[in-house]
């Protein structure tokens, strides 16, 4: 191309013609022009490439550029074109970092280059000028983000279409905790989240709010209402400082007249939203920002944050920020403590916002006390990790009071309590005291010398935790021991475990730290002993339940659920209130005892006046509860129920006397009865109570790997066959795990080990008495 040069006067004129510089004093422009560098590009030549360091901005003199973003499949997506008089890379002046797109000359092109170093030096001489430029760049940054969000929602839009959308929208800054819309309001506006995070909640008749989902940047709110005119079906709050654009009903209709294809995209959004509304589909919990705060002066917060960053980096790109790191990055002492109303805040906020496009996780390490930086950490957080020393007296710190004083409510960021232990020599104790002082959504015990504990925490906050849900089924539940062996040998981590009935017993023992051999040996020694010789006058139940209570007291002791190393739950059925009970805290022994209290066979457990019985009555395979716990992670479910079970003699009449059964048992010449006993009938009735719920959950994809070992030949009370049952569970699980696709812990790919229903003839005649 033809090379040419420009005079200072011409350079100044080019600067003055741009939006960024036109309002600046001419003397300032002349000072900037002195340090400008003229760049000439030939057609097809790259100005810079995606990933290059952002160290300068450019003004296009003539020609043109095309911006392209590399896709995961290797293709490049063109996102914009830049012509004469327009700016390129001005965001780098404010945020630094690396280039988010590649720019190529679409024809011979001339540009002016202004380095970030030169700009910072000149701008530092005039604070007012710097603030003015920062504000203009921030507006352009928002427009660029808007263009990217619109592409994600509506596909490619040309420059004219983008300008039409921009003319109809209104920008909204929504502080943390504020409501965007409320349930019952008119649904006449559409919102697009540009940055931040929102939470959708639904209030019941009593006003209690339930979390439905989270809204991440790039997602929309209100697309259904703007089509149907219906009132809001939910309320939406900002769980951290958020920026949105609003499109009114009238503006939407004007846009449709000019861009009718938008209606198809809106319809697709509604369809996707309806699909995500199924009960088994988890709320989106893709975490971006985590605030790490201390719950005491002795907490090694910086080292904890460093180790968490290392563990998270194995999942995705992670950035560790603290007030000292911010000051060092900008080479400006005290910049991290910039107040929200300071002009400098624009630069810091824009830089922090830009990091979210480069990093999957940003760890905000708070100061030891409440400071502007600490408040910023809390405002930016999607999740808040409160770190305390196990064994220390639980006290509500100044920082906790700042953020957690309102207690648990649906519009605050998710809170997780982390209790640090030096090692595993002293088991956790007294966790309930921490939970009473520090209301949180979840807690974890971390052993400082166990890297695996940090990795487990990282999987939870990254939405990649692996949960194991064990179903009930009497002696058949011993197959869970074999499945646990297979998972361990395959190197699949178990980050949380829970169960119902017999599954609750095995889950509790595993959560205590029992390995495969311990599980096998102790259950072999006690198999059947809990049922034998425990008959009582059957006013309430056939068995007194004393032996089972003694066994659980022996193996579980006085451990509290919240003091387990591993997150655990079990379920029981509340006869008094006709509802499912989820035991996440309190006595482990009593929770498991309630979960295994087979109605009619074992007496119910009394809890605050309510009667609790076997959890299998309402949810025999609690994969949905594990899904709530693990979110977008992986749920493995082991179902030891059978599709067809129990049978009787076809010649039996419409009634049957127990004396008749007894006579046939003691008379060697009588025709044998093939009829299950009362215990088998009651156990099977409990399984059937949650059968439809189980089938619905499987069809909805509540489990990523659904295992149903072939244990039909074993009876519900065939505890003496423990070795054979465990071996069947092990061999079956090992085979199915080997078939499980690679990358299994990263997605929601449900693998069925057996069909939902078996042919009736396949199981006829099994488990006879």
């Amino acid at each position: 191309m033809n090379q040419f040069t420009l005079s200072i006067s011409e350079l100044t004129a080019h600067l003055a013609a741009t939006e960024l510089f036109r309002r600046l004093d001419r003397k300032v422009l002349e000072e900037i022009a002195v340090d400008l560098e003229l760049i000439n590009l030939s057609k097809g030549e790259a100005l810079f490439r995606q990933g290059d360091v952002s160290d300068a901005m450019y003004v296009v003199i003539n020609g043109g550029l095309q911006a392209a973003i590399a896709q995961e499949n290797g293709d490049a997506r063109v996102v914009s074109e830049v012509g004469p008089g327009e700016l390129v890379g001005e965001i780098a002046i404010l945020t630094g970092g690396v280039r988010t797109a590649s720019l190529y000359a679409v024809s011979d092109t001339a540009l002016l280059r202004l380095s970030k170093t030169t700009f910072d030096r000149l701008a530092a001489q005039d604070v007012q000028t710097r603030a003015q430029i920062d504000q203009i760049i921030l507006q352009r940054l928002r427009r660029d983000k808007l263009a990217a969000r619109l592409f994600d929602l509506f596909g490619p839009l040309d420059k004219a279409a983008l300008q039409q959308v921009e003319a109809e929208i209104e920008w909204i800054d929504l502080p943390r905790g504020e409501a965007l819309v409320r349930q019952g309001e008119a649904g006449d506006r559409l919102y697009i989240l540009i940055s931040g995070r929102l939470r959708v909640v639904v209030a019941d008749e009593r006003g209690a709010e339930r979390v439905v989902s989270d809204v991440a940047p790039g997602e929309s709110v209100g697309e259904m209402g703007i089509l149907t005119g219906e009132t809001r079906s939910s309320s939406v709050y900002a769980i951290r400082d958020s920026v949105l654009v609003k499109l009114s009903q009238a503006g939407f209709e004007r846009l449709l007249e000019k861009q009718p294809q938008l209606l198809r995209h809106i319809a697709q959004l509604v369809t996707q939203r309806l699909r995500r509304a199924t009960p088994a589909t988890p709320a989106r919990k893709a975490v971006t920002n985590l605030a790490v705060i201390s719950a005491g002066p002795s907490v090694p917060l910086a080292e904890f944050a460093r180790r968490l960053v290392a563990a998270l980096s194995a999942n995705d790109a992670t950035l560790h920020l603290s007030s000292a790191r911010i000051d060092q990055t900008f080479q400006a002492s005290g910049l991290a403590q910039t107040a929200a109303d300071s002009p400098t805040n624009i630069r810091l906020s824009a830089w922090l916002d830009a990091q979210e496009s480069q990093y999957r996780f940003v760890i905000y390490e708070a100061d030891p006390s409440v400071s502007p930086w600490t408040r910023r950490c809390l405002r930016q957080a999607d999740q808040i990790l409160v770190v305390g020393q196990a064994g220390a007296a639980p006290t509500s710190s100044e920082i906790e009071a700042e953020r957690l004083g309102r207690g648990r409510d649906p519009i605050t960021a998710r809170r997780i309590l982390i209790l640090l232990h030096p090692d595993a020599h002293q088991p956790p104790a007294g966790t309930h005291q921490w939970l009473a002082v520090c209301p949180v959504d979840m807690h974890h015990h971390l052993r400082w010398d166990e890297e695996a504990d940090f990795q487990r925490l990282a999987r939870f906050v990254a939405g990649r935790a692996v949960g194991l849900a064990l179903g009930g089924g009497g002696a058949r539940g011993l197959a869970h021991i074999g499945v646990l062996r297979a998972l361990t040998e395959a190197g699949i981590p178990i980050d949380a475990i829970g169960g119902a009935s017999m599954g609750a017993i095995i889950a509790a023992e595993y959560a205590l730290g029992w390995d495969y051999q311990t599980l096998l040996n102790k259950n072999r020694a006690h198999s059947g002993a809990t049922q034998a010789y425990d008959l009582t006058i059957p006013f309430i139940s056939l068995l007194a339940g004393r032996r089972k209570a003694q066994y659980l007291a022996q193996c579980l002791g006085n451990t509290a659920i919240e003091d387990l190393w591993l997150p655990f739950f079990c379920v029981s059925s509340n006869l008094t209130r006709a509802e499912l009970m989820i035991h996440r805290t309190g006595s482990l022994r009593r929770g498991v005892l309630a979960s295994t209290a087979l109605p009619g066979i074992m007496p119910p457990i009394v809890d605050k006046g309510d009667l609790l019985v076997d959890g299998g009555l309402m949810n025999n395979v609690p994969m949905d509860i594990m899904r709530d716990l693990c979110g977008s992670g992986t749920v493995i479910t082991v179902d030891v129920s059978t599709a067809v079970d129990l049978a009787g003699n076809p010649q039996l009449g419409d009634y049957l006397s127990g004396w008749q059964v007894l006579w046939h048992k003691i008379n060697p010449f009588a025709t044998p009865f093939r009829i299950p006993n009362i215990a088998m009938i009651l156990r099977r009735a409990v399984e059937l109570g949650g059968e439809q719920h189980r089938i619905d959950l499987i069809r909805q994809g509540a489990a990523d790997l659904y295992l149903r070992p072939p244990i039909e030949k074993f009876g519900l009370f065939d505890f003496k066959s423990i070795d054979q049952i465990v071996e069947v569970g092990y061999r079956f699980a090992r085979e199915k795990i080997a078939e499980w696709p690679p990358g299994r812990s990263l997605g929601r790919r449900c693998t069925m080990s057996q069909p939902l229903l078996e042919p009736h003839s396949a199981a006829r005649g099994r488990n006879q008495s």
Side-chain angles (χ1 to χ4, degrees):
M1 65 173 294
N2 295 326
Q3 305 289 318
F4 66 95
T5 58
L6 297 172
S7 66
I8 294 297
S9 176
E10 290 173 317
L11 292 173
T12 302
H14 280 296
L15 288 178
T18 66
E19 178 186 4
L20 181 61
F21 296 107
R22 67 169 56 113
R23 284 174 283 179
L24 297 185
D25 185 79
R26 186 171 182 83
K27 182 179 180 181
V28 174
L29 293 179
E30 289 175 349
E31 292 181 20
I32 296 175
V34 171
D35 291 287
L36 290 176
E37 177 186 356
L38 183 62
I39 304 291
N40 293 287
L41 297 178
S42 299
K43 180 180 179 180
E45 189 176 353
L47 176 63
F48 52 72
R49 299 184 185 276
Q50 188 172 338
D52 289 349
V53 176
S54 299
D55 57 355
M57 62 166 288
Y58 303 85
V59 179
V60 179
I61 302 300
N62 57 43
L65 299 168
Q66 196 174 66
I69 296 179
Q71 305 297 292
E72 292 183 0
N73 61 5
D75 295 337
R77 167 165 62 93
V78 176
V79 293
S80 65
E81 293 186 354
V82 185
E86 294 187 283
L87 299 172
V88 174
E90 73 280 10
I91 307 303
I93 294 291
L94 194 61
T95 64
V98 298
R99 303 293 185 185
T100 58
S102 299
L103 262 79
Y104 301 92
V106 295
S107 62
D108 290 347
T109 303
L111 308 97
L112 299 177
R113 180 183 186 274
L114 176 64
S115 71
K116 187 176 187 302
T117 302
T118 299
F119 181 85
D120 286 342
R121 175 175 53 81
L122 294 172
Q125 301 172 9
D126 187 341
V127 176
Q128 184 177 359
T129 298
R130 179 57 189 258
Q132 183 180 359
I133 294 176
D134 283 354
Q135 186 63 48
I136 295 172
I137 293 178
L138 180 61
Q139 292 172 359
R140 293 181 62 87
L141 176 62
R142 285 186 168 185
R143 288 206 299 270
D144 288 349
K145 284 198 169 187
L146 173 63
R149 303 308 185 203
L150 290 176
F151 181 93
D152 293 337
L153 286 172
F154 305 130
L157 296 175
D158 58 27
K159 192 171 184 179
L162 287 173
Q163 291 174 343
Q164 290 167 359
V165 172
E166 195 170 1
E168 296 290 352
I169 62 170
E170 175 185 346
W171 287 89
I172 297 175
D173 290 286
L174 191 67
R176 170 183 55 85
E178 294 294 318
L180 177 67
V181 299
R182 295 190 182 276
Q183 192 171 335
E185 290 180 346
D188 56 355
R189 288 152 292 171
L190 171 68
Y191 298 91
I192 300 173
L193 181 62
I194 304 302
S195 63
R197 195 165 299 271
L198 308 174
R199 179 154 295 165
V200 182
V201 300
V202 173
D204 59 21
E205 298 80 4
R206 296 171 295 179
E209 291 186 317
R210 173 179 59 87
V211 176
V212 175
S213 64
D214 283 2
V215 179
E219 295 185 331
S220 60
V221 173
E223 64 274 3
M224 189 175 297
I226 206 168
L227 286 178
T228 65
E230 297 177 353
T231 58
R232 304 288 184 191
S233 59
S234 57
S235 298
V236 181
Y237 301 92
I239 57 175
R240 62 180 172 97
D241 291 354
S242 301
V243 177
L244 308 95
V245 293
K246 180 179 73 173
L247 179 62
S248 67
Q249 180 80 49
F252 176 69
E253 292 174 355
R254 286 192 293 268
L255 275 179
L256 285 184
E257 293 178 0
K258 303 171 185 176
Q259 303 289 334
Q261 77 278 8
L262 294 182
L263 184 60
R264 174 171 55 86
H265 292 289
I266 293 291
Q268 290 174 346
L269 292 174
V270 172
T271 302
Q272 293 169 3
R273 187 65 51 85
L274 291 174
R275 286 175 179 170
R276 291 206 303 265
T278 56
T281 302
R284 179 170 181 172
K285 297 180 180 178
V287 178
T288 300
N289 296 345
L290 296 106
V292 179
I293 67 176
S294 63
S298 61
V299 174
L301 196 64
E303 179 62 14
F304 169 83
R306 186 195 65 78
R307 294 184 66 179
L308 177 59
V309 168
L312 274 173
S313 296
N315 294 279
D316 218 323
T318 305
L319 176 65
H320 179 192
L321 297 177
S322 65
S323 56
R325 287 170 178 260
I326 289 292
D327 290 354
Q328 183 179 9
T329 298
F330 286 91
Q331 295 295 304
S333 177
L335 180 66
Q337 306 301 339
T338 298
D341 56 354
S342 168
T344 313
N345 180 59
I346 295 175
R347 185 185 186 196
L348 179 56
S349 296
W351 184 85
L352 293 174
D353 201 33
Q355 305 316 298
E356 293 186 32
S357 64
Q358 302 177 42
Y359 294 93
R360 174 67 176 80
F361 304 106
V362 181
I363 306 298
Y364 285 81
E365 178 194 333
D367 290 335
S369 61
V370 175
S371 65
W373 170 249
T374 294
R375 290 192 176 96
R376 186 184 295 274
C377 293
L378 297 174
R379 289 199 314 270
Q380 291 287 111
D382 299 311
Q383 288 195 21
I384 299 173
L385 274 57
V386 184
V387 187
Q389 287 281 20
T395 57
S396 181
S397 71
E398 183 183 6
I399 300 176
E400 292 172 73
E402 170 82 12
R403 183 65 180 88
L404 307 176
R406 292 188 298 170
R408 298 173 63 181
D409 64 68
I411 61 172
T412 53
R414 181 174 171 81
R415 289 152 291 182
I416 302 175
L417 172 65
I418 310 297
L419 291 177
L420 302 179
H421 302 256
D423 48 45
H425 288 101
Q426 188 68 32
T431 308
H432 69 281
Q433 298 174 346
W434 279 93
L435 298 179
V437 171
C438 182
V440 293
D441 299 281
M442 193 177 187
H443 72 277
H444 292 274
H445 295 282
L446 262 68
R447 291 160 286 199
W448 197 252
D449 63 342
E450 284 284 348
E451 199 60 38
D453 286 3
F454 281 87
Q455 294 168 357
R456 183 180 72 243
L457 174 61
R459 286 191 293 272
F460 264 105
V461 299
R464 296 181 177 181
V466 180
L468 180 62
L470 305 180
R476 294 165 177 163
L478 296 169
H480 296 318
I481 300 174
V483 174
L484 283 165
R485 176 188 174 190
L487 290 170
T488 301
E489 290 180 356
I492 298 175
I494 299 174
D495 299 317
I497 193 167
S501 197
M502 188 64 189
I505 293 179
I506 303 301
E509 293 171 344
Y510 184 84
L512 281 170
W514 293 13
D515 58 15
Y516 162 73
Q517 203 59 53
T518 304
L519 285 167
L520 181 59
N521 293 341
K522 291 199 173 185
N523 280 280
R524 182 192 291 133
H526 294 279
S527 284
T530 58
Q531 311 289 344
Y533 313 115
D534 202 22
L535 293 171
T536 186
I537 300 174
F539 284 123
I540 298 176
S541 58
L542 296 176
L543 303 178
R546 182 183 301 107
R547 287 186 177 272
K548 175 174 282 188
Q550 290 173 344
Y551 166 69
L552 292 179
Q554 178 183 351
C555 70
L556 305 182
N558 294 320
T559 304
I561 294 175
E562 59 269 25
D563 288 333
L564 293 169
W565 289 114
L566 202 63
F568 166 89
F569 73 85
C570 63
V571 296
S572 66
S573 303
N574 190 318
L575 288 180
T576 306
R577 304 180 186 277
E579 62 186 21
L580 185 71
M581 301 289 291
I582 305 175
H583 301 267
R584 302 185 192 273
T585 59
S587 168
L588 177 63
R589 174 182 58 83
R590 284 184 59 80
V592 173
L593 198 58
S595 185
T596 57
L598 194 64
I601 298 179
M602 304 294 294
I605 302 302
V606 181
D607 180 63
K608 299 177 183 178
D610 291 354
L611 299 181
L612 309 183
V613 296
D614 197 299
L617 189 64
M618 300 188 72
N619 193 342
N620 197 43
V621 192
M623 62 189 97
D624 53 335
I625 300 170
M626 184 58 74
R627 171 57 66 197
D628 290 339
L629 185 61
C630 292
S632 58
T634 297
V635 172
I636 302 172
T637 295
V638 186
D639 182 2
V640 291
S641 64
T642 60
V644 179
D645 200 6
L646 308 183
N649 284 29
Q651 68 267 29
L652 293 178
D654 295 336
Y655 61 89
L656 181 64
S657 167
W659 295 108
Q660 185 181 2
V661 175
L662 177 61
W663 169 249
H664 277 263
K665 283 184 175 292
I666 64 177
N667 182 0
F669 303 104
T671 303
F673 267 178
R674 290 192 298 112
I675 190 74
N677 61 39
I678 187 173
M680 292 180 176
I681 293 173
L682 289 172
R683 173 69 254 181
R684 182 59 172 169
V686 166
E687 286 184 357
L688 295 181
E691 180 67 4
Q692 188 58 52
H693 181 65
R694 177 189 70 87
I695 293 174
D696 290 343
L697 290 177
I698 295 171
R699 287 173 174 164
Q700 294 164 2
D704 298 290
L705 177 62
Y706 174 82
L707 300 172
R708 200 174 192 184
I711 36 73
E712 297 86 353
K713 68 178 182 180
F714 302 104
L716 289 165
F717 297 97
D718 196 5
F719 289 95
K720 65 181 182 298
S721 301
I722 177 173
D723 291 287
Q724 297 96 306
I725 297 173
V726 170
E727 184 66 15
V728 170
Y730 167 67
R731 292 185 179 278
F732 178 82
R734 186 176 64 175
E735 176 186 341
K736 295 303 175 182
I737 291 170
E739 298 172 356
W740 204 13
R744 51 185 170 265
S745 63
L746 305 181
R748 295 288 316 282
R749 185 182 295 138
C750 182
T751 301
M752 302 292 294
S753 66
Q754 285 191 3
L756 294 179
L757 300 175
E758 300 174 359
H760 186 270
S761 59
R764 187 182 300 276
R766 290 193 290 255
N767 299 312
Q768 308 305 320
S769 173

